[in-house]
């Protein structure tokens, strides 16, 4: 996969990694504000973090069963999306995705002067991979973003359809699996990365692991792509606290599974309650439900009741996305929706 010209001769930043007794090579200072015994003893805040996040990548390796040499970790999958564009996109290259999908694909495309083209969803918000394959043949894109499960609809692609795209395009196919742990099959494309020249999978700990504030995401790809991306990645991109938190989180995968199973159960109940109240919901394989409502100003009325959901604007007005909460939160939402419907029908 050809990187953009400007980065083709770059070498990855290489910190000194030799044993030492006195470390005077990186303009670091003494740990005088947070000495041992004050806070987080296991971290040396005065020293730069491990630039390659090796221990963390080892933990990720154990979790996903893919060799750590094929993993890059960063500040959320957002940093990984930007790193991919930074490495591969020249001005006026084409980037494809579906519509609606995660908004940052088009925003980063603009920032990197790429032409962003979206394939519209079907009327039921399912996404047609054949349309994407045909468009890709016509416009020869550099990158294609596939979000599966898709944000904001929850639509999950069939794995074989994604692989068909990968096999039928020269473009780099970036599969964003931010919500995969909530999907019923949890079938990730991660195990396929070494078999293709042009496949990157993005994952995050922001959703299923509940670590959105720690900012931790990662990508997995073949060795050639990972090497190219490492030449462009900022040194020390992931701070030591996040590396530590990530390792701790990945040692509790069982708890994560319990949590995602609970959310899947809660989603069934919430979906049924929304349908009973007359909302049109769409099948979701993520931790949210996409739905339609004719209630005027539903978002604003809920805000007055201190409840936040996501609303969409033209051409998707009338559509909403609600995160599946714990059962208490979901019950409060449903109770308020009932009251709103009752009020509207009586005025
Ligand atoms: N991809 C998708 C599909 C998302 O919905 C989000 C967050 N909303 C992200 C990536 C970014 O997540 P993060 O940077 O927190 O890993």
């Amino acid at each position: 996969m050809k990187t953009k010209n400007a980065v083709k001769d770059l070498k990855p930043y290489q910190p000194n990694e030799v044993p030492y007794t006195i470390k005077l090579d990186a303009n670091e200072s003494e740990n005088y504000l947070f000495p041992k015994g004050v806070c987080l003893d296991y971290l040396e805040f005065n020293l730069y973090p491990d630039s390659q996040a090796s221990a963390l990548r080892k933990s990720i390796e154990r979790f996903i069963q893919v060799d750590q040499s094929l993993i890059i970790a960063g500040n959320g999958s957002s940093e990984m999306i930007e790193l991919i564009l930074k490495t591969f996109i020249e001005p006026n290259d084409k980037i494809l995705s579906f519509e609606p999908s995660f908004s940052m694909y088009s925003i980063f495309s603009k920032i990197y002067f790429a032409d962003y083209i979206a394939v519209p969803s079907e009327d039921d918000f399912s996404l047609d991979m054949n349309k994407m394959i045909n468009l890709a043949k016509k416009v020869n894109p550099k990158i294609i973003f596939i979000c599966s499960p898709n944000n904001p609809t929850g639509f999950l692609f069939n794995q074989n359809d994604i692989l068909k795209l990968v096999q039928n395009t020269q473009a780099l196919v970036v599969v964003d699996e931010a919500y995969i742990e909530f999907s019923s099959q949890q079938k990730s494309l991660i195990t396929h990365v070494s078999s293709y020249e042009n496949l990157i999978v993005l994952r995050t700990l922001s959703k299923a692991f509940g670590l959105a504030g720690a900012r931790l995401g990662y990508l997995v790809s073949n060795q050639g792509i990972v090497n190219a991306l490492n030449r462009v990645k900022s040194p020390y991109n992931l701070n030591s606290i996040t590396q530590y938190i990530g390792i701790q989180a990945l040692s509790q995968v069982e708890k994560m599974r319990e949590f995602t199973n609970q959310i899947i159960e809660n989603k069934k109940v919430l979906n049924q309650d929304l349908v009973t109240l007359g909302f049109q919901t769409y099948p979701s394989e993520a931790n949210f439900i996409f739905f339609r409502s004719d209630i005027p100003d539903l978002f604003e009325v809920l805000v007055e009741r201190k409840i936040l959901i996501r609303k969409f604007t033209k051409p998707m007005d009338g559509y909403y996305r609600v995160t599946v909460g714990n059962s208490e939160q979901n019950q409060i939402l449903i109770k308020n929706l009932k009251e709103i419907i009752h009020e509207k029908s009586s005025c």
Side-chain angles (χ1 to χ4, degrees):
M1 191 57 52
K2 210 168 134 299
T3 65
K4 68 179 181 187
N5 270 333
V7 307
K8 75 178 190 322
D9 297 324
L10 291 181
K11 301 260 172 305
Y13 183 88
Q14 277 294 2
N16 272 335
E17 272 165 6
V18 289
Y20 60 84
T21 48
I22 299 180
K23 185 167 177 357
L24 297 173
D25 65 334
N27 300 343
E28 294 149 334
S29 294
E30 279 180 52
N31 193 9
Y32 64 94
L33 289 181
F34 300 97
K36 284 208 182 314
V38 172
C39 133
L40 292 176
D41 275 358
Y42 31 80
L43 295 178
E44 296 179 296
F45 287 122
N46 58 320
L47 303 183
Y48 281 104
D50 174 1
S51 193
Q52 300 302 326
S54 303
L56 171 64
R57 287 191 299 121
K58 194 79 202 155
S59 293
I60 298 173
E61 172 184 298
R62 260 181 247 120
F63 173 47
I64 62 174
Q65 301 291 311
V66 173
D67 194 90
Q68 59 168 317
S69 61
L70 304 180
I71 300 168
I72 302 179
N75 277 270
S77 42
S78 311
E79 186 197 355
M80 300 294 94
I81 295 171
E82 181 165 21
L83 177 62
I84 295 165
L85 269 63
K86 253 186 187 170
T87 306
F88 291 103
I89 289 297
E90 306 267 16
N92 304 320
D93 278 346
K94 297 197 166 47
I95 296 182
L96 306 190
S97 191
F98 285 97
E99 180 66 41
S101 196
F102 182 42
S103 55
M104 289 312 291
Y105 310 145
S106 70
I107 292 170
F108 278 129
S109 299
K110 284 202 184 97
I111 294 170
Y112 286 88
F113 303 106
D115 287 341
Y116 181 80
I117 310 172
V119 175
S121 68
E122 306 306 298
D123 289 343
D124 62 356
F125 291 99
S126 63
L127 303 172
D128 184 343
M129 194 57 94
N130 288 326
K131 287 188 180 164
M132 179 61 80
I133 293 172
N134 290 336
L135 180 64
K137 280 187 181 144
K138 245 191 256 158
V139 306
N140 193 24
K142 195 76 200 254
I143 295 178
I144 303 173
F145 281 103
I146 301 294
C147 188
S148 183
N150 189 36
N151 180 6
T153 56
F155 176 82
L156 181 77
F157 282 97
N158 182 317
Q159 266 207 333
N160 289 333
D161 286 346
I162 302 180
L163 291 177
K164 191 168 147 201
L165 171 69
V166 176
Q167 289 154 7
N168 280 282
T169 181
Q170 303 283 328
L172 188 53
V173 177
V174 180
V175 183
D176 185 343
E177 295 187 339
Y179 300 96
I180 194 81
E181 290 92 350
F182 297 104
S183 81
S184 43
Q185 313 152 37
Q186 300 190 12
K187 265 187 135 186
S188 167
L189 279 175
I190 260 175
T191 47
H192 294 269
V193 289
S194 295
S195 316
Y196 297 97
E197 293 278 296
N198 59 333
L199 174 62
I200 300 181
V201 177
L202 296 176
R203 301 280 286 267
T204 180
L205 276 75
S206 294
K207 313 294 178 182
F209 285 92
L211 287 179
R215 309 305 300 127
L216 179 50
Y218 55 95
L219 65 76
V220 191
S221 189
N222 64 51
Q223 199 65 69
I225 288 179
V226 166
N227 290 349
L229 293 165
N230 265 327
R231 298 207 300 269
V232 179
K233 180 182 84 63
S234 298
Y236 313 119
N237 60 317
L238 199 55
N239 73 74
S240 27
I241 305 177
T242 297
Q243 294 190 30
Y244 174 80
I245 298 277
I247 294 166
Q248 299 305 313
L250 288 159
S251 71
Q252 303 177 64
V253 170
E254 282 313 308
K255 265 199 197 161
M256 182 276 285
R257 300 261 181 247
E258 271 171 39
F259 173 74
T260 52
N261 285 338
Q262 185 61 57
I263 292 293
I264 292 169
E265 285 310 307
N266 294 356
K267 181 169 61 181
K268 283 184 200 148
V269 176
L270 179 61
N271 185 63
Q272 189 50 54
D273 288 349
L274 288 169
V275 169
T276 306
L277 290 179
F279 296 98
Q280 181 181 0
T281 64
Y282 294 83
S284 168
E285 293 283 336
N287 66 338
F288 50 77
I289 297 175
F290 185 69
F291 68 95
R292 207 195 122 60
S293 167
D294 289 327
I295 299 174
D297 301 325
L298 177 64
F299 172 80
E300 289 74 11
V301 181
L302 281 170
V303 167
E304 276 169 27
R305 293 163 174 263
K306 304 253 186 294
I307 296 176
L308 288 185
I309 63 170
R310 172 75 197 273
K311 82 164 175 180
F312 294 91
T313 48
K314 276 201 171 70
M316 284 182 24
D317 30 5
Y319 288 95
Y320 302 87
R321 188 195 67 200
V322 61
T323 309
V324 179
N326 61 34
S327 34
E328 190 193 350
Q329 293 170 318
N330 298 340
Q331 278 164 20
I332 293 172
L333 170 73
I334 291 297
K335 176 174 162 284
N336 277 273
L337 287 172
K338 270 185 196 155
E339 287 170 11
I340 290 166
I341 291 167
H342 185 71
E343 275 170 21
K344 298 269 177 194
S345 63
S346 57
C347 51

